C-alpha cells in the first residue's frame, strides 16, 4: 500500500471523494486518484517568539542541537572572487581593487575558505505532524536549509534530522548569520512564523501527464490495464482537457497575493472566522475574498504557505525527473518532501527526496528546484 497516496489515508476519504466526484468518467477518476497525494499543508499561526524549542517554524533561525554550529558552506577565495566578478559584471582585478568584498564573510584559516552561512528555510516538528501522515519520522525534527548563490541557478538543499532526545539551543540565542545580500541573499526568510499543519490532498496538474514525463504516463496506464486499449486511449485523451471540466476550487479563485496574506494573518482553514478577524479584513482583502469569506463561518480550504508530499509544478518536465538525472534512479521513486513559498514573487521551492531515503530516515541526498 502506497502511504503517499490520499486513497490510502482514512482521514482524507471525504476530501478525496469530493475531488473525484468532479470527474464524470469513473475510469478517469480512477486514473487521477493515482496522482492525488496524502499531503499536509502548513500555515503560519503566529509570529515566532522562540518561547518553545523545536516547534514547527518557517524562517528566522533554527533551534540547533547543543554543540552543533550553524551550517555553512566553505567557499574558496578564488571561487568567491569569481562570484563577485560574475554578479557585478567586472573583472576579478576590478573587484579586488574597488570592492571590500572579503570583509563581508568570515574567514576559516584552517580550511582556507570563507564560511558562507546557509539560508534557514524551516523546521518541522515530526511529533506534531504524525497524526496527519505516516511517512515522516514519528518524532524528532527536520531542519531545511538552502545553499544558494544568486549568481548561479544551482540550488543545493540540505535537510538535517534532529533526534527527539537531542538537547536544543534556541534560535533566539544564535548570532545573526553574516550575509552579503548582494551575492547571497537572506531577506526572504528574515521574518519567522510558527506553523500549524492540517491534513490535505494535492493533485497533479493534469497537463503534466504527457510524453515529456514518461513516468507519469506509465503510472496512468498502469491504472487502465483492465480496460480495452480503445478505452485506455479515450481516458488518456480526456486528461488533456480535464482542467476545463473541473469545478473551480476556492483557492483557485484567489490571486497569489491573497493566499500570501491569508497565510500571514494566521487564518487556518476549518477555523471559524471571528467577527474581529472579519472586521480587520477590509484593509487588505480583494473583491474575491469579500465574496468568499463569511464571518462566524469556518474558513474554506486554501493552500498553505508550505506543504509536505505535494507536486512540483513545472508544466514541462516534472521536478522529480531532474532529481533522478542528478541523483540517479527512476523519477517515479522521488517525491516532494517540502514545497515552500520562497518569496512574494510567487516562487515556490521544492525539496525532493528519494522514497527509499525517506523510509530509511536518510536525508543526505536532497535535490532542490523551483517551480517554473
Amino acid at each position: 500500500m502506497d502511504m503517499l497516496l490520499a486513497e490510502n489515508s482514512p482521514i482524507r476519504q471525504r476530501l478525496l471523494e469530493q475531488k473525484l466526484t468532479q470527474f464524470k468518467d469513473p475510469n478517469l477518476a480512477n486514473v487521477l486518484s493515482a496522482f492525488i497525494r496524502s499531503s499536509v499543508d502548513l500555515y503560519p499561526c503566529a509570529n515566532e517568539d522562540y518561547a518553545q524549542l523545536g516547534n514547527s517554524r518557517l524562517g528566522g533561525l533554527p533551534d540547533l542541537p547543543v554543540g552543533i554550529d550553524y551550517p555553512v558552506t566553505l567557499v574558496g577565495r578564488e571561487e568567491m572572487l569569481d562570484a563577485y566578478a560574475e554578479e557585478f559584471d567586472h573583472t576579478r582585478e576590478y573587484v579586488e581593487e574597488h570592492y571590500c568584498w572579503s570583509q563581508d564573510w568570515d574567514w576559516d584559516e584552517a580550511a582556507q575558505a570563507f564560511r558562507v552561512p546557509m539560508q534557514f528555510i524551516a523546521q518541522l516538528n515530526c511529533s506534531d505532524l504524525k497524526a496527519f501522515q505516516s511517512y515522516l519520522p514519528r518524532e524528532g525534527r527536520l531542519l531545511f536549509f538552502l545553499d544558494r548563490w544568486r549568481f548561479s541557478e544551482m540550488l543545493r538543499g540540505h535537510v538535517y534530522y534532529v533526534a527527539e532526545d537531542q538537547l536544543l539551543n534556541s534560535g533566539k540565542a544564535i548570532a545573526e548569520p553574516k550575509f552579503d545580500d548582494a551575492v547571497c541573499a537572506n531577506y526572504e526568510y528574515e521574518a519567522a512564523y510558527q506553523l500549524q499543519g492540517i491534513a490535505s490532498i494535492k493533485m497533479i496538474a493534469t497537463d503534466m501527464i504527457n510524453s515529456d514525463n514518461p513516468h507519469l504516463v506509465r503510472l496512468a496506464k498502469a491504472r487502465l490495464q483492465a480496460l480495452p486499449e480503445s478505452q485506455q486511449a479515450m481516458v488518456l485523451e480526456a486528461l488533456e482537457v480535464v482542467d476545463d471540466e473541473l469545478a473551480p476550487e476556492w483557492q483557485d479563485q484567489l490571486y497569489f497575493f491573497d493566499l500570501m496574506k491569508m497565510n500571514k494573518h494566521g487564518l487556518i482553514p476549518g477555523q471559524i472566522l471571528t467577527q474581529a478577524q472579519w472586521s480587520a479584513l477590509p484593509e487588505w482583502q480583494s473583491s474575491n475574498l469579500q465574496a468568499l469569506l463569511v464571518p462566524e463561518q469556518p474558513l474554506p480550504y486554501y493552500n498553505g504557505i508550505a506543504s509536505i508530499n505535494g507536486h512540483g509544478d513545472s508544466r514541462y518536465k516534472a521536478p522529480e525527473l531532474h532529481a533522478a538525472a542528478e541523483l540517479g534512479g527512476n523519477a517515479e521513486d522521488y517525491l516532494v518532501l517540502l514545497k515552500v513559498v520562497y518569496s512574494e514573487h510567487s516562487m515556490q521551492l521544492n525539496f525532493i527526496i528519494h522514497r527509499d531515503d525517506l523510509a530509511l530516515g536518510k536525508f543526505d541526498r536532497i535535490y532542490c528546484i523551483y517551480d517554473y
Side-chain angles (χ1 to χ4, degrees):
M1 183 171 69
D2 191 339
M3 296 185 297
L4 302 174
L5 292 181
E7 64 187 13
N8 296 320
S9 168
I11 65 174
R12 290 173 175 79
Q13 286 307 305
R14 182 180 58 83
L15 295 174
L16 183 63
E17 289 169 4
Q18 290 175 345
K19 171 66 72 176
L20 294 180
T21 55
Q22 295 185 34
F23 308 111
K24 298 176 183 178
D25 184 346
N27 292 321
L28 179 59
N30 179 56
V31 169
L32 290 175
S33 65
F35 299 94
I36 300 179
R37 294 289 179 123
S38 176
S39 302
V40 180
D41 269 273
L42 299 164
Y43 301 83
C45 56
N47 292 331
E48 182 59 86
D49 59 8
Y50 296 95
Q52 181 182 357
L53 283 175
N55 60 310
S56 293
R57 176 182 308 158
L58 179 73
L61 291 166
D63 299 329
L64 292 174
V66 172
I68 301 298
D69 294 329
Y70 190 95
V72 299
T73 301
L74 295 176
V75 181
R77 187 179 185 281
E78 297 303 311
E79 183 183 357
M80 182 69 80
L81 189 54
D82 285 340
Y84 275 83
E86 182 177 341
E87 175 69 17
F88 297 107
D89 196 22
H90 288 304
T91 64
R92 291 173 55 173
E93 292 73 21
Y94 185 92
V95 170
E96 283 200 283
E97 183 177 351
H98 294 90
Y99 287 78
C100 299
W101 61 278
S102 61
Q103 299 177 16
D104 294 321
W105 308 101
D106 292 326
W107 177 256
D108 187 316
E109 188 65 31
Q112 285 294 291
F114 293 102
R115 296 170 57 85
V116 180
M118 295 183 192
Q119 186 178 19
F120 171 65
I121 303 298
Q123 70 181 27
L124 301 183
N125 186 310
C126 296
S127 296
D128 290 346
L129 300 174
K130 66 182 179 181
F132 305 131
Q133 46 69 42
S134 54
Y135 41 81
L136 293 183
R138 299 292 85 195
E139 59 181 16
R141 282 93 185 169
L142 293 175
L143 306 184
F144 293 80
F145 291 87
L146 186 64
D147 180 359
R148 189 202 70 166
W149 289 87
R150 188 181 277 180
F151 65 86
S152 173
E153 294 183 1
M154 173 65 73
L155 296 172
R156 285 173 289 186
H158 302 267
V159 179
Y160 301 100
Y161 177 69
V162 178
E164 186 73 23
D165 58 357
Q166 287 187 265
L167 297 177
L168 301 177
N169 280 324
S170 172
K172 192 175 183 179
I174 297 175
E176 195 72 30
K178 190 176 181 181
F179 286 94
D180 177 4
D181 280 350
V183 176
C184 184
N186 191 45
Y187 55 83
E188 287 93 345
Y189 281 118
E190 289 180 337
Y193 302 95
Q194 298 173 20
L195 291 176
Q196 179 176 326
I198 69 167
S200 62
I201 62 175
K202 289 285 189 290
M203 189 177 82
I204 197 169
T206 55
D207 58 3
M208 289 285 290
I209 307 171
N210 60 50
S211 58
D212 287 331
N213 297 298
H215 65 296
L216 301 180
V217 175
R218 287 195 298 271
L219 182 55
K221 288 183 175 179
R223 285 292 176 109
L224 294 172
Q225 286 181 346
L227 298 177
E229 288 189 10
S230 59
Q231 286 186 268
Q232 292 183 31
M234 291 174 59
V235 172
L236 291 175
E237 288 177 10
L239 287 173
E240 299 177 5
V241 296
V242 71
D243 282 342
D244 298 331
E245 299 175 355
L246 287 176
E249 294 186 356
W250 191 83
Q251 67 270 27
D252 294 335
Q253 301 177 48
L254 299 180
Y255 294 112
F256 189 81
F257 58 80
D258 282 326
L259 292 175
M260 290 289 292
K261 288 175 180 176
M262 290 287 287
N263 272 283
K264 291 190 175 181
H265 279 74
L267 301 177
I268 312 295
Q271 292 184 351
I272 300 296
L273 179 66
T274 66
Q275 190 64 50
Q277 290 171 323
W278 168 254
S279 299
L281 295 183
E283 298 179 7
W284 55 267
Q285 67 174 328
S286 68
S287 58
N288 283 352
L289 279 175
Q290 291 175 0
L292 292 165
L293 300 182
V294 180
E296 305 304 330
Q297 294 295 319
L299 285 163
Y301 171 78
Y302 64 94
N303 290 329
I305 200 167
S307 63
I308 302 165
N309 188 32
H311 289 283
D313 192 7
S314 69
R315 290 295 196 269
Y316 298 103
K317 287 189 176 180
E320 55 266 25
L321 274 176
H322 296 275
E326 179 73 19
L327 301 178
N330 301 313
E332 52 264 44
D333 294 329
Y334 286 87
L335 64 105
V336 179
L337 178 62
L338 180 71
K339 177 194 284 286
V340 61
V341 173
Y342 189 67
S343 75
E344 299 284 353
H345 305 292
S346 304
M347 297 176 70
Q348 297 195 69
L349 179 65
N350 300 285
F351 286 79
I352 298 176
I353 190 171
H354 196 281
R355 286 171 176 247
D356 290 346
D357 289 340
L358 178 59
L360 293 171
K362 296 174 56 180
F363 298 95
D364 56 344
R365 292 198 315 146
I366 298 292
Y367 182 79
C368 271
I369 189 171
Y370 292 123
D371 281 350
Y372 58 93

